[in-house]
Amino acid sequence: MSYSSLILVVLAAMAHATWNLLAKRAAMVGAPFVFAYGFCASLLYAPWVIWVLLHDGMNWTWPVAGAILASSLLHLGYSLCLQKGYQVADLSVVYPIARGTGPLLSSMGAYLLLREPASTSGILGMLCVVGGVLLIATQGRLAIFRNAHAWVGVRWGLVIGLFIAAYTVVDAYGVKVLLISPVLFDWFTCVTRTTMMAPHMLRRRAQSWEAMRGYWGLAAAVGFLSPLGYILVLYALQHGAPLSLVAPAREMSMMLGTLAGMFLLREKVGAGRLAGCFSILLGVVLLGSA
């Protein structure tokens, strides 16, 4: 992976870690918050989209429309399953399984569907990142998976990981093969899935508005940072970075979030999380050399 692509992925990881820290403060709001930040993102990025359309245009074909629709459905399924998984299972189980299996399955999809070549350093880097994610999210207490109830979270985590892998492969196909502009691709999928949620939100508009009281500032911040992080990833993919390397490298956001919690929020970080940070850092070095 080139240094320019790696820089884009690092910046994307920083944006991803930041918006996740903000979104955690609105975790109890649920679906109304997902709709709200999607609505904010649609408005905030509209000027950029208009500028791109005026200068570069967009070649609408059935494959392009199909990719946008498929990506929208997969992103929406991911968001709703994530909310449901957090409601019925422990966050400490759902999150590491989802974030670990997502890049693992994305890389497998890149090898099998996009015909990307596999390298020893790339595979080792991917495994280091996945292992680091598990160590950080579980704080090194992998024994929690021995609990029978934990397997409810494992199942939801696997489903969410499948959604992550599926939309990542579809989106990579959209920008690498169909040559859709990353900002247009992300914006149209955002608008589409937000529109899909609109009828449900309108039927429950009183409850949704009340649930969002005091959270619109967070929705605007997440609506800006979440698309930004993903658009940077899509640009890295369009400029030639292999999906099999980019997908796991994105997970350095876990390391950045842990370090931010340690240095900015003065959170206690045990040996397990520090080992996870080191494993992700080693993985990113291997991915960068692949």
Side-chain angles (χ1 to χ4, degrees):
M1 181 161 44
S2 68
Y3 286 114
S4 59
S5 295
L6 185 58
I7 290 172
L8 287 175
V9 176
V10 170
L11 293 174
M14 293 172 65
H16 189 271
T18 304
W19 81 255
N20 270 274
L21 288 172
L22 295 174
K24 285 180 181 179
R25 296 167 58 184
M28 299 305 295
V29 179
F33 187 74
V34 175
F35 175 81
Y37 76 71
F39 178 76
C40 289
S42 302
L43 294 178
L44 290 170
Y45 283 86
W48 189 4
V49 169
I50 293 171
W51 187 89
V52 173
L53 287 173
L54 289 175
H55 287 78
D56 300 327
M58 185 165 178
N59 184 25
W60 283 101
T61 63
W62 284 112
V64 168
I68 290 173
L69 179 60
S71 179
S72 303
L73 291 171
L74 291 169
H75 276 277
L76 181 58
Y78 157 76
S79 299
L80 296 178
C81 284
L82 189 66
Q83 293 289 334
K84 182 64 176 180
Y86 287 167
Q87 290 172 5
V88 301
D90 294 333
L91 172 68
S92 60
V93 177
V94 175
Y95 193 69
I97 294 297
R99 301 309 306 182
T101 57
L104 182 65
L105 295 173
S106 296
S107 296
M108 292 175 61
Y111 297 142
L112 298 175
L113 301 177
L114 301 182
R115 305 298 183 187
E116 291 185 1
S119 65
T120 301
S121 60
I123 293 174
L124 288 175
M126 174 186 66
L127 294 176
C128 284
V129 169
V130 171
V133 168
L134 290 172
L135 286 171
I136 289 175
T138 62
Q139 302 182 45
R141 296 180 289 107
L142 298 179
I144 63 173
F145 295 113
R146 295 177 184 173
N147 187 338
H149 178 69
W151 286 97
V152 177
V154 169
R155 289 193 290 272
W156 276 103
L158 288 173
V159 171
I160 295 164
L162 282 170
F163 272 109
I164 293 173
Y167 76 62
T168 302
V169 172
V170 169
D171 294 353
Y173 179 81
V175 298
K176 291 172 77 71
V177 179
L178 300 179
L179 301 179
I180 307 172
S181 166
V183 64
L184 296 183
F185 195 7
D186 185 77
W187 189 81
F188 278 113
T189 56
C190 179
V191 169
T192 302
R193 64 179 180 267
T194 302
T195 302
M196 289 176 180
M197 294 184 70
H200 177 71
M201 292 296 107
L202 288 173
R203 285 195 299 269
R204 300 171 56 87
R205 56 185 175 274
Q207 299 95 317
S208 299
W209 185 261
E210 182 62 29
M212 280 300 299
R213 188 182 300 273
Y215 289 103
W216 281 101
L218 285 176
V222 173
F224 172 73
L225 290 170
S226 177
L228 177 63
Y230 200 57
I231 288 169
L232 291 174
V233 167
L234 294 179
Y235 271 115
L237 290 170
Q238 193 171 66
H239 291 158
L243 174 62
S244 55
L245 305 184
V246 170
R250 287 183 65 207
E251 299 307 320
M252 75 177 78
S253 62
M254 293 283 289
M255 177 187 71
L256 296 174
T258 300
L259 296 177
M262 182 171 66
F263 291 110
L264 300 179
L265 305 179
R266 303 298 182 185
E267 294 179 349
K268 292 183 178 180
V269 177
R273 284 188 170 181
L274 288 176
C277 288
F278 177 77
S279 180
I280 289 178
L281 184 59
L282 175 61
V284 170
V285 171
L286 289 169
L287 291 170
S289 65

